[in-house]
Amino acid sequence: MKNIEEYCKDKNIKLTPVRHKVLELLQNEKSGLGAYRILDLLREAGFNSQPPVAYRALDFLVEHGFVHKIESQNSFVACTDPGVHHSPVFMICKKCESVSEAPTFETASNISDALMATGFNVEQTIIEAEGVCSTCSEQ
Amino acid sequence: MKNIEEYCKDKNIKLTPVRHKVLELLQNEKSGLGAYRILDLLREAGFNSQPPVAYRALDFLVEHGFVHKIESQNSFVACTDPGVHHSPVFMICKKCESVSEAPTFETASNISDALMATGFNVEQTIIEAEGVCSTCSEQ
DNA sequence: AAACCTCATGATATAATATAACATTACATA
DNA sequence: TATGTAATGTTATATTATATCATGAGGTTT
Ligand SMILES: [Zn+2]
Ligand SMILES: [Zn+2]
Ligand SMILES: [Zn+2]
Ligand SMILES: [Zn+2]
């Protein structure tokens, strides 16, 4: 969070209170949060709680790479390596519902390269793996 | 379609009229169709058009591997290699909106292997690449 | 045939996710 | 002060998806 605050200050990006709060909420969760769950939590924290409030904050955070959307869940997670451009691979545990970004091996770029070879020009990849995390596997 | 009809007959899977129609609609489209678009088309074709009708047919078709859901679009596409279990990689063109399954190189299994090495046990992967297809690139 | 079971469909309602549109405010700076 | 821009407030509505209970169509068992 400190890093992000500094990054925003440096780049003159406005991490307003509601944006800061949404990011904080996501950073405190290891599973994804839906927009309406975030909205509830914002309300509890005394913020305005109409849907556009949450979606605007999320749009901002996603746009700047501080948060990712998990497409298969319509949920959002804080990025674990913000500020660095990357193509994340998510590991979604069916048991504990945790969502984590895989350490980046070259998966996304491998896919891009392979698809490029077929003539398709990749701009962005969405990679989500569902399964069971190491912690849950041990049990 | 003929193949699927035979496959269903063999395995005693019931490809009922509404399921058949939904599959046909998807096979005639090169882009993904949303459930409510499908519902409209069903209505035009004289079918009952309440939401559960479309969702039930889609659930059935997805479950049997005849159709895939495109998570980033909340849309559905007909599988181009049905009956064979696979982990598809989708190429989604921003310009013409076409959705195609990439010829299977071992991408999904590579990812699975790499994640397995970190302790995560992959059961299913969702891979969607957004970009520009070869046809649209040429223009 | 009658009873039963199972799966599919019909029908109504509602939940969950997301955006449109326009008004207002805050703040930088000319 | 005036003016432009980005952010927020507010209301309404669009889009996607599921819950629930009733009805029907086919087989199987008795
Ligand atoms: Zn990230
Ligand atoms: Zn787990
Ligand atoms: Zn397929
Ligand atoms: Zn194209």
Side-chain angles (χ1 to χ4, degrees), chain B residues 65-68 77-84 86-88 90 101:
Chain B
F66 304 147
V67 162
H68 299 294
V77 295
C79 176
T80 50
D81 197 5
V84 179
H86 57 194
S87 296
F90 296 103
E101 286 184 52

Side-chain angles (χ1 to χ4, degrees), chain A residues 91 105 107 129, chain B residues 106-123 125:
Chain A
M91 300 182 287
F105 33 89
T107 317
Chain B
E106 322 77 16
T107 316
S109 69
N110 284 347
I111 291 175
S112 296
D113 291 349
L115 295 184
M116 296 275 189
T118 75
F120 187 86
N121 218 285
V122 177
E123 295 184 2
T125 55

Side-chain angles (χ1 to χ4, degrees), chain B residues 62-130:
Chain B
V62 167
E63 188 178 333
H64 288 90
F66 304 147
V67 162
H68 299 294
K69 179 169 187 182
I70 306 301
E71 296 289 351
S72 62
Q73 300 190 327
N74 295 319
S75 74
F76 299 85
V77 295
C79 176
T80 50
D81 197 5
V84 179
H85 176 72
H86 57 194
S87 296
V89 175
F90 296 103
M91 300 182 288
I92 303 168
C93 179
K94 287 164 50 176
K95 294 203 175 170
C96 66
E97 301 191 292
S98 66
V99 176
S100 12
E101 286 184 52
T104 312
F105 34 88
E106 322 77 16
T107 316
S109 69
N110 284 347
I111 291 175
S112 296
D113 291 349
L115 295 184
M116 296 275 189
T118 75
F120 187 86
N121 218 285
V122 177
E123 295 184 2
Q124 196 197 355
T125 55
I126 293 160
I127 307 176
E128 299 175 10
E130 290 173 7

Side-chain angles (χ1 to χ4, degrees), chain A residues 96-116:
Chain A
C96 67
E97 300 192 291
S98 65
V99 177
S100 9
E101 284 184 54
T104 311
F105 33 89
E106 321 77 17
T107 317
S109 69
N110 284 347
I111 291 175
S112 296
D113 291 349
L115 295 184
M116 296 275 190

Side-chain angles (χ1 to χ4, degrees), chain A residues 36 52 55-56 69 74:
Chain A
Y36 282 74
Y55 282 102
R56 283 166 181 164
K69 179 170 187 181
N74 296 318

Side-chain angles (χ1 to χ4, degrees), chain A residues 34 41 78 121:
Chain A
L41 296 170
N121 219 285

